[in-house]
Amino acid sequence: MIHAVLFDLDGTLFDRASVVQTFISRQHERLNLQCDRDAYLERFLALDKNGTVWKDKVYTQLVEEFSLPFSMNALLADYIIHFPEYVVPFPHLEQLLSNLKAQGQKLAIVSNGIGQFQLSVIHALGMEQYFDAILISDWEKLRKPDARLFQRACDKLGVSVEESLFVGDNPEVDIDGAKGAGMLTAWKKSGDQQVNADYVVDDLLDIETIIQTTLQQNS
C-alpha cells in the first residue's frame, strides 16, 4: 500500500523544456543580445544538459562563444531573477495534490539543484503548501540517484521506502535511483525510450489510478 508520493521537480511538476525556451527567447529580447536567437537557444540547451549543469558554467561558455557584452554574473543574475516567472505547472497538478492530501498521503519534493533557486521555482508553482517535506540536493549534500537521499526523504515523512511511490521524468536519476532505494516508481513520460519503471504516467492524475491499483492488489 502506498502512503507517500514523492516527486521530482523539473520536468515532472512543470514542463522545464518549454519554460527554458520561453525564458531564453525573452532573455535574448530583454537584454538585446546581438547574436542569432536560435543559435543562442540551441547552445544554451546543449550546455545546460537538461538542467544538470548549473548556469555559471553555461553562461561562461555563452559569453565566450557569442562575444556577449555581459559578464557571466550578469546573465546568471538575470536567469535567477526571471526564470521562475515563466514556470507553469503541468495540467491537473493542483487537483492531484489536493486529492492526495485529502486521501491522507504524505507528499514530498526531492530535487537536484541549487537550494534557493529550486525553492523559488517551487514558490512560483504556488503549491508549496501541499508538501510535507522538500529536499534539495544542494542543502542535503546528496544528489539523486544516491539511494540515501530517497531514504532520507522517506524518513522525514515517517514512511518506509517500500510504501512510497516516486514520480520523476529522468530514467536514470529518478527512476533507477528510486528503485535502487526500494521504492515503487512512476515515470512522467518525456520521450519514447524504454524505462525501468513500475508505472508510466502520461497525465499526473494517472497517479491516483496507480494508488488505487496498489490498494486493490493488497486487499
Side-chain angles (χ1 to χ4, degrees), residues 134-145:
I134 295 173
L135 288 80
I136 302 173
S137 63
D138 178 37
W139 290 337
E140 300 298 327
K141 306 306 178 187
L142 291 171
R143 288 181 61 84
K144 296 179 294 182

Side-chain angles (χ1 to χ4, degrees), residues 61-104:
Q61 191 67 25
L62 289 174
V63 167
E64 179 179 339
E65 289 185 19
F66 290 95
S67 301
L68 300 176
F70 291 94
S71 68
M72 176 277 290
N73 288 327
L75 292 170
L76 178 60
D78 184 81
Y79 176 85
I80 291 171
I81 292 168
H82 293 289
F83 183 90
E85 296 173 2
Y86 304 100
V87 171
V88 178
F90 273 126
H92 308 134
L93 175 59
E94 185 161 22
Q95 181 182 348
L96 170 70
L97 297 178
S98 178
N99 291 348
L100 292 180
K101 291 302 288 185
Q103 296 164 18

Side-chain angles (χ1 to χ4, degrees), residues 200-212:
V200 176
V201 171
D202 285 304
D203 186 297
L204 288 173
L205 286 179
D206 295 342
I207 293 168
E208 289 193 83
T209 303
I210 293 171
I211 293 173
Q212 289 302 315

Side-chain angles (χ1 to χ4, degrees), residues 101-114:
K101 291 302 288 185
Q103 296 164 18
Q105 293 288 336
K106 296 286 189 178
L107 303 178
I109 293 174
V110 182
S111 174
N112 286 348
I114 302 297

